[in-house]
């Protein structure tokens, strides 16, 4: 009976200790995460292959401590995420880590000023910072980087974290599991290949007026603009100027001529063909496939084509790029039409000739795809030279703040007036068909609304679905002003391979050092032992407390 009571008492004592032990285990598990996490949106550097050759960032997950440029030279950063504000960037320093002249990084986080956020602050960044960002993009996009690279925008949380990290690094206290500090965590699956990426072309017609008894096919004038982009961070590549401005100019030209062509009395004897093409950064592959999809008779009926590319950031001069010699009669006619209109509007246009090499797969300008099929074409652009492959096609610095609405409006007037004078036979005459304050005037509110929309919409083709809202919106817009609107969807050339995982959430933890953890555990353990002893003494007595820690008699002694 006495033994039974003793066992019952001991059982009660041990039952009372279980919750205390469980609480202690929970505290041990949570000790490193005692400070709440800050969550920041981050945008991963693009990952792609060209003919199997890898480029961009090859990894996506992060779980390392933060480091800054204030770290001690020679320090091991292979398990650290280096935080680099754009304004403090040293291209040569970063190039050494990318080329692995220095030991590799655990990861790289580049902090961009808020002025580069799509649809963000209207204050423009300095030209020097924009040029620095362009150099950075060129380096990152054309390198094979063996660690995760992310972009984020500066805010109060990132500024406070960076200041603390810099202070510790300057004191030689580089963050680690031993010393504590800030830990950056991105938990995502490894990137996967995008299966069969598509490019989507959209076209619409404004049929001309055929004279009674005329059975001949009417000539056609094509107005074309590529709408997709390419940049270091696909989730930020909005391309406000390249080529959002060209898309907006095309839509406004279509709207203006739809008013003229809606009246049989003012309908011209030319068909107008409007095309929004995809695959621009990839040698204008969408334009090539769209042209080849046209009926041969239709293609041969194209009198000439005007391609619009980057017309939103110029002051007094636009350039007309051509592949055929300037002495060509058609080229002379097109350029003279532009020159006369530009003179009336108070600015200049210049002709730039670049001969194409048919054997070279590189297509520098969109009009070259027409020239390869012996169709006369020209590109109207502010750019003096063609961008290199996968460059200047929607960079991080190409945001709404750097596009001038008036520049786009002047570009629209240039194209619309020159087309109208050609269609209605008013070449050389000082006649403004689309005069300001008339029913045919350019609508600045329409231009602004579409520039704002495109400047908030990333448009990297491989990441756009077949039913992407933007594509449907562009299709609907053409349907409002043209007829026989159709969509053509093609697969992107197989030499290009892209990988997903373009945007993630970065969790920032402020973690304590191991020394602090051990001290905290010691204090908690001591407190729990004292608490437990107090409870046992007050409820069961001192003898019961001592019996818990007394060594039980061996089995042999019991038998004796």
């Amino acid at each position: 009976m006495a033994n039974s009571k003793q066992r019952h008492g001991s059982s009660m004592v041990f039952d009372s200790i279980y919750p205390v032990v469980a609480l202690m285990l929970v505290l041990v598990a949570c000790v490193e995460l005692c400070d709440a996490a800050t969550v920041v949106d981050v945008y991963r550097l693009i990952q792609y292959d060209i003919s199997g050759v890898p480029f961009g960032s090859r990894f996506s997950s992060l779980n390392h401590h933060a480091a800054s440029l204030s770290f001690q030279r020679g320090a091991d950063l292979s398990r650290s995420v280096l935080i680099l504000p754009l304004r403090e960037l040293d291209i040569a320093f970063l190039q050494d880590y990318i080329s692995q002249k220095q030991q590799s990084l655990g990861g790289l986080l580049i902090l961009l000023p808020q002025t580069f956020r799509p649809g963000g602050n209207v204050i423009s960044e300095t030209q020097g910072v924009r040029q620095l960002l362009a150099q950075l993009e060129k380096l990152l996009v054309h390198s094979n980087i063996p660690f995760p690279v992310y972009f984020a925008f500066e805010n109060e949380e990132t500024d406070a974290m960076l200041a603390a990290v810099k202070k510790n690094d300057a004191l030689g206290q580089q963050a680690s599991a031993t010393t504590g500090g800030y830990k950056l965590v991105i938990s995502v699956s490894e990137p996967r290949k995008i299966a069969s990426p598509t490019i989507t072309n959209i076209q619409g017609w404004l049929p001309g007026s055929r004279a009674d008894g005329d059975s001949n096919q009417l000539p056609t004038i094509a107005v074309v603009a590529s709408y997709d982009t390419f940049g270091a961070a696909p989730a930020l590549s909005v391309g406000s100027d390249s080529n959002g401005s060209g898309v907006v100019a095309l839509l406004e030209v279509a709207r203006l001529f739809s008013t003229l062509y809606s009246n049989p009395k003012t309908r011209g004897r030319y068909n107008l063909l409007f095309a929004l093409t995809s695959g621009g950064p990839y040698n204008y592959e969408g334009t090539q496939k769209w042209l080849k999809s046209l009926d041969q008779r239709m293609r041969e009926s194209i009198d000439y084509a005007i391609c619009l590319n980057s017309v939103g950031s110029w002051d007094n001069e636009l350039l007309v790029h051509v592949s055929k010699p300037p002495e060509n009669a058609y080229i002379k006619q097109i350029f003279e039409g532009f020159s006369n209109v530009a003179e009336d509007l108070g600015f200049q246009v210049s002709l730039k000739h670049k001969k194409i090499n048919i054997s070279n797969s590189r297509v520098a300008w969109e009009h070259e795809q027409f020239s390869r099929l012996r169709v006369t074409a020209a590109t109207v652009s502010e750019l003096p030279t063609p961008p290199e492959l996968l460059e200047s096609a929607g960079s991080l610095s190409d945001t709404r703040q750097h596009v001038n609405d008036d520049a786009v409006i002047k570009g629209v007037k240039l194209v619309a007036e020159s087309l109208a004078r050609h269609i209605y036979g008013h070449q050389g005459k000082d006649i403004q068909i689309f005069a300001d304050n008339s029913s045919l005037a350019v609508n600045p509110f329409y231009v602004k609304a579409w520039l704002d929309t495109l400047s908030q919409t990333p448009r990297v083709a491989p990441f756009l679905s077949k039913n992407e809202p933007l594509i449907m919106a562009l299709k609907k817009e053409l349907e409002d002003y043209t007829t026989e609107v159709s969509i053509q969807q093609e697969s992107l050339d197989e030499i290009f391979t892209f990988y997903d995982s373009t945007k993630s959430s970065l969790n920032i933890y402020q973690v304590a050092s191991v020394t602090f953890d051990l001290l905290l555990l010691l204090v908690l353990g001591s407190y729990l032992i004292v608490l437990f002893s107090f409870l046992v003494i007050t409820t069961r007595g001192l003898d019961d407390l001592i019996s818990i820690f007394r060594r039980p008699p061996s089995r042999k002694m019991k038998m004796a």
Side-chain angles (χ1 to χ4, degrees):
M1 185 74 174
N3 290 338
S4 176
K5 288 183 178 181
Q6 186 177 5
R7 284 195 299 270
H8 180 67
S10 299
S11 176
M12 290 179 62
V13 171
F14 283 113
D15 287 345
S16 66
I17 200 175
Y18 291 151
V20 178
V21 174
L23 175 61
M24 189 173 179
L25 291 175
V26 171
L27 290 172
V28 170
C30 297
V31 75
E32 188 178 65
L33 303 181
C34 55
D35 286 339
T38 298
V39 181
V40 176
D41 289 333
V42 290
Y43 309 88
R44 193 169 78 96
L45 174 66
I46 195 166
Q47 178 181 351
Y48 68 102
D49 305 335
I50 299 180
S51 299
V53 180
F55 294 97
S57 177
R58 311 311 292 182
F59 299 94
S60 59
S61 59
L62 272 180
N63 191 351
H64 296 303
H65 287 84
S68 71
L69 284 176
S70 301
F71 69 90
Q72 298 292 322
R73 298 308 173 197
D76 181 9
L77 299 181
S78 61
R79 296 186 62 80
S80 298
V81 180
L82 185 61
I83 305 174
L84 284 181
L86 178 63
R87 295 187 183 95
E88 301 176 12
L89 183 64
D90 183 340
I91 292 292
F93 166 82
L94 183 58
Q95 195 164 15
D96 286 345
Y97 276 96
I98 291 176
S99 62
Q100 295 188 345
K101 291 182 181 178
Q102 301 283 350
Q103 57 188 328
S104 182
L105 297 173
L108 177 63
L109 177 64
I110 299 170
L111 298 180
L112 302 175
Q114 284 285 343
T115 50
F116 292 116
R117 182 184 290 276
N121 200 318
V122 296
I123 300 175
S124 296
E125 195 58 70
T126 62
Q127 186 64 25
V129 175
R130 292 191 67 197
Q131 291 176 351
L132 182 61
L133 182 55
Q135 294 175 3
L136 173 64
E137 279 198 87
K138 185 174 182 179
L139 171 64
L140 296 178
V141 165
H142 296 296
S143 300
N144 176 12
I145 304 177
F147 49 81
V149 179
Y150 283 91
F151 297 91
F153 291 100
E154 296 172 341
N155 57 31
E156 292 181 359
E157 288 82 5
T158 59
D159 290 346
M161 172 187 67
L162 182 58
V165 172
K166 282 183 175 180
K167 181 179 179 180
N168 290 336
D169 286 350
L171 295 173
Q173 299 175 356
Q174 185 181 345
S176 67
T178 304
T179 62
Y182 284 90
K183 197 166 191 179
L184 308 185
V185 179
I186 299 177
S187 300
V188 292
S189 59
E190 286 307 309
R192 295 173 297 179
K193 291 182 180 180
I194 297 177
S196 303
T198 60
I199 49 179
T200 303
N201 301 318
I202 313 167
Q203 71 171 40
W205 286 89
L206 281 177
S209 177
R210 183 181 285 110
D212 294 338
D214 185 2
S215 59
N216 294 324
Q217 187 172 4
L218 290 176
T220 300
I221 297 176
V223 183
V224 186
S226 177
Y227 68 85
D228 64 326
T229 61
F230 181 92
L236 297 175
S237 184
V238 296
S240 298
D241 191 15
S242 178
N243 188 31
S245 61
V247 172
V248 174
L250 181 145
L251 292 175
E252 178 63 355
V253 170
R255 189 191 68 81
L256 293 173
F257 276 95
S258 71
T259 304
L260 279 175
Y261 273 53
S262 63
N263 187 342
K265 294 182 180 179
T266 56
R267 187 179 301 158
R269 297 190 182 278
Y270 277 83
N271 296 321
L272 291 178
L273 175 58
F274 296 92
L276 293 169
T277 60
S278 183
Y282 322 108
N283 293 318
Y284 296 97
E285 186 181 340
T287 308
Q288 177 195 44
K289 293 185 175 181
W290 169 70
L291 280 171
K292 290 185 176 181
S293 71
L294 295 177
D295 179 81
Q296 184 174 351
R297 286 188 61 204
M298 177 56 62
R299 195 164 60 239
E300 291 174 351
S301 75
I302 297 177
D303 198 10
Y304 63 89
I306 299 298
C307 304
L308 304 174
N309 186 332
S310 304
V311 293
S313 299
W314 59 283
D315 294 320
N316 299 313
E317 184 182 34
L318 272 179
L319 302 168
V320 180
H321 298 270
V322 296
S323 299
K324 292 185 177 182
E327 300 79 20
N328 181 278
Y330 290 104
I331 298 300
K332 275 187 175 181
Q333 183 184 39
I334 294 172
F335 182 66
E336 286 177 2
F338 281 133
S339 297
N340 293 334
V341 173
E343 185 177 355
D344 294 341
L345 294 175
F347 59 86
Q348 296 180 335
V349 293
S350 299
L351 190 66
K352 298 276 287 186
H353 172 238
K354 175 183 171 297
K355 189 177 181 180
I356 62 174
N357 182 0
I358 302 296
S359 61
N360 188 350
S361 61
R362 173 73 179 120
V363 179
W365 294 109
E366 189 165 19
H367 73 263
E368 293 182 6
Q369 291 290 13
F370 289 84
S371 299
R372 288 168 182 257
L373 296 175
R374 302 185 183 281
V375 177
T376 301
T379 294
V380 177
S381 177
E382 70 208 22
L383 302 176
T385 57
E388 297 296 326
L389 180 67
L390 302 180
E391 292 183 16
S392 301
S395 66
L396 292 172
S397 62
D398 188 358
T399 55
R400 181 69 174 92
Q401 298 91 317
H402 306 105
V403 175
N404 187 336
D405 296 16
D406 291 337
V408 178
I409 290 171
K410 288 192 295 184
V412 170
K413 289 181 178 179
L414 174 69
V415 174
E417 288 288 351
S418 62
L419 287 179
R421 293 184 187 185
H422 179 82
I423 291 171
Y424 298 107
H426 295 320
Q427 295 97 325
K429 299 178 182 179
D430 186 9
I431 298 175
Q432 285 198 30
I433 297 174
F434 303 100
D436 293 338
N437 301 319
S438 70
S439 60
L440 292 174
V442 176
N443 185 343
F445 301 103
Y446 182 84
V447 170
K448 181 181 184 304
W450 267 104
L451 280 175
D452 290 345
T453 298
L454 293 174
S455 297
Q456 300 177 49
T457 312
R459 305 185 301 280
V460 180
F463 301 95
L464 300 179
S465 65
K466 293 183 178 180
N467 297 315
E468 190 74 23
L470 173 68
I471 295 175
M472 295 299 105
L474 292 173
K475 177 176 180 288
K476 182 181 182 303
E477 201 66 21
L478 278 184
E479 287 174 338
D480 289 342
Y481 303 119
T482 63
T483 62
E484 300 180 36
V485 175
S486 61
I487 283 183
Q488 176 198 22
Q489 292 178 329
E490 300 281 351
S491 295
L492 185 64
D493 194 321
E494 292 183 356
I495 69 168
F496 296 100
T497 303
F498 291 86
Y499 297 78
D500 61 9
S501 186
T502 61
K503 181 179 179 181
S504 301
S505 294
L506 170 67
N507 294 283
I508 303 173
Y509 299 101
Q510 187 173 6
V511 296
S513 66
V514 171
T515 303
F516 177 81
D517 291 349
L518 293 175
L519 181 61
L520 180 61
L521 285 175
L522 179 61
V523 172
L524 289 174
S526 301
Y527 170 76
L528 292 174
I529 290 173
V530 171
L531 177 62
F532 172 72
S533 300
F534 175 78
L535 291 175
V536 173
I537 292 173
T538 55
T539 58
R540 306 297 302 172
L542 181 61
D543 291 340
D544 281 354
L545 176 63
I546 296 173
S547 67
I548 293 174
F549 300 100
R550 182 182 297 154
R551 183 177 179 182
S554 65
R555 185 174 299 178
K556 291 181 178 180
M557 292 179 63
K558 286 183 179 181
M559 291 178 64

